[in-house]
């Protein structure tokens, strides 16, 4: 089955967001040490950063 088409104007995931090599390496290492998938690692990092800066209230799921 072919992949679902991207929403109009969004392109592919790779085109929509590029992670620089140094961040990708750090993310891969963080995910491995914390035993998380890459997606889970990204969510954890974003959640903590947004919480610390006051954009996200409460702790929410880890």
């Amino acid at each position: 089955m072919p992949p679902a088409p991207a929403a109009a104007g969004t392109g592919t995931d790779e085109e929509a967001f590029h992670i620089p090599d140094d961040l990708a390496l750090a993310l891969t290492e963080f995910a491995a040490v914390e035993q998380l998938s890459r997606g889970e690692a990204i969510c954890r990092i974003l959640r903590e950063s947004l919480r610390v800066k006051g954009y996200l209230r409460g702790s929410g799921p880890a």
Side-chain angles (χ1 to χ4, degrees), residues 8-59:
T10 62
T12 65
D13 286 346
E14 187 174 334
E15 292 171 348
F17 184 74
H18 172 74
I19 299 175
D21 291 343
D22 60 335
L23 291 179
L25 183 61
L27 176 62
T28 299
E29 184 176 349
F30 175 79
V33 169
E34 298 295 320
Q35 299 181 341
L36 301 168
S37 71
R38 190 172 171 147
E40 290 169 328
I42 291 169
C43 287
R44 184 176 290 185
I45 292 164
L46 283 173
R47 179 175 283 112
E48 181 62 12
S49 177
L50 293 171
R51 186 193 62 75
V52 166
K53 294 183 180 279
Y55 295 105
L56 185 65
R57 296 204 194 315
S59 58

